[in-house]
């Protein structure tokens, strides 16, 4: 009898979300609407899903992770968590583009137009986006731009409201679709799709310890303080 296939899907490109499927059927899913709690929330969330399914974390056999595009810290937490759990299980983690997941959701909902854009909030008044056809196949992207620079196409996804257009279909990325449909999505590898430089950077120059021209360092005196009257030499 074939072994039961347990699939864990996690995505931290937006908020923290995860789902668990058994042989392609959704068993449990969880979501935390917080864009800054990835580190604290993901591991307990995975444990919660396994408890609901009645299996240990070691019972998971497949691991799927969204590689963005998304913020630096959030993506790292999701990818490292999935890769670590997969390594412990002796499995290979599978990376998928988070925008492809959104497009898949729109297709499954049955209202995807001939061409459309999947959109995620990139902060700094920008959006991540990709162009897809009616089957969810990615035709272009991913990109990060100002909303005004998007092609004139219907939009869907958690960043659709930032475009000033009426979005359709998908308002939040679903880890459940990742867990059940990941094999139908293109392999995106495990490199995070940051698309732009981080806010924090490492200094490229060292602080000089040289004195300005014409100045000399003060030497610390090594002589004893002056003696008080009557003090022996």
């Amino acid at each position: 009898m074939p072994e039961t296939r347990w699939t864990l899907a996690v995505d931290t490109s937006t908020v923290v979300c995860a789902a668990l499927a058994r042989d392609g059927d959704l068993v449990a899913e969880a979501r935390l609407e917080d864009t800054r709690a990835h580190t604290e929330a993901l591991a307990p969330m995975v444990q919660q899903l396994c408890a609901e399914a009645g299996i240990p974390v070691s019972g998971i056999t497949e691991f799927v992770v969204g590689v963005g595009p998304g913020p630096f810290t959030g993506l790292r937490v999701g990818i490292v968590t999935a890769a670590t759990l997969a390594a412990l299980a002796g499995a290979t983690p599978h990376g998928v583009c988070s925008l492809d997941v959104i497009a898949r959701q729109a297709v499954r909902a049955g209202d995807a137009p001939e061409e459309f854009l999947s959109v995620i909030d990139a902060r700094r008044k920008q959006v991540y986006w990709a162009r897809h056809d009616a089957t969810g196949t990615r035709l272009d992207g991913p990109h990060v731009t100002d909303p005004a620079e998007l092609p004139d196409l219907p939009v869907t996804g958690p960043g659709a409201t930032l475009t000033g257009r009426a979005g359709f279909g998908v308002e939040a990325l679903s880890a459940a679709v990742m867990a059940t449909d990941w094999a139908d999505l293109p392999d995106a590898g495990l490199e995070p799709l940051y698309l732009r430089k981080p806010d924090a950077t490492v200094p490229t120059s060292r602080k000089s310890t040289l004195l300005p021209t014409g100045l000399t360092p003060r030497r610390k005196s090594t002589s004893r303080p002056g003696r008080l009257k009557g003090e022996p030499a």
Side-chain angles (χ1 to χ4, degrees):
M1 192 171 182
E3 180 185 3
T4 300
R5 181 166 50 92
W6 287 98
T7 306
L8 172 70
V10 300
D11 190 279
T12 51
S13 62
T14 53
V15 298
V16 188
C17 59
L20 194 62
R22 179 179 56 221
D23 294 332
D25 295 322
L26 181 66
V27 174
E29 64 177 321
R31 181 181 190 84
L32 177 64
E33 296 292 339
D34 191 326
T35 59
R36 300 184 183 277
H38 305 85
T39 303
E40 301 85 354
L42 185 55
M45 184 177 289
V46 172
Q47 294 174 333
Q48 171 194 330
L49 293 176
C50 289
E52 291 179 19
I55 65 166
V57 175
S58 59
I60 302 171
T61 55
E62 292 181 343
F63 300 84
V64 187
V65 59
V67 297
F72 288 76
T73 301
L75 288 186
R76 282 198 299 269
V77 170
I79 294 171
V80 169
T81 298
T84 301
L85 292 176
L88 293 174
T92 301
H94 305 279
V96 296
C97 175
S98 303
L99 292 168
D100 288 345
V101 177
I102 293 171
R104 181 73 177 178
Q105 292 175 238
V107 172
R108 284 188 57 172
D111 54 2
E114 184 176 348
E115 285 192 15
F116 64 95
L117 307 177
S118 56
V119 187
I120 291 176
D121 183 1
R123 303 175 189 173
R124 303 189 207 169
K125 299 181 180 180
Q126 292 185 318
V127 291
Y128 300 118
W129 63 274
R131 181 166 60 94
H132 303 267
D133 66 16
T135 69
T137 300
R138 184 163 18 116
L139 305 176
D140 186 25
H143 303 288
V144 57
T145 65
D146 294 338
E149 299 176 28
L150 267 61
D152 187 15
L153 291 169
V155 293
T156 191
T161 56
L162 301 175
T163 67
R165 310 175 194 177
F168 74 92
V170 181
E171 296 181 355
L173 186 147
S174 170
V177 171
M178 289 176 59
T180 58
D181 294 22
W182 72 268
D184 295 323
L185 298 174
D187 181 5
L190 293 175
E191 287 297 320
L193 297 174
Y194 294 137
L195 302 192
R196 65 186 181 195
K197 296 181 180 179
D199 293 329
T201 58
V202 178
T204 57
S205 60
R206 295 181 179 180
K207 184 177 180 181
S208 175
T209 57
L210 299 178
L211 291 171
T213 303
L215 295 182
T216 57
R218 294 181 59 186
R219 296 182 180 276
K220 184 177 179 181
S221 174
T222 57
S223 61
R224 293 180 59 189
R227 295 191 302 274
L228 296 176
K229 184 176 182 180
E231 181 183 1

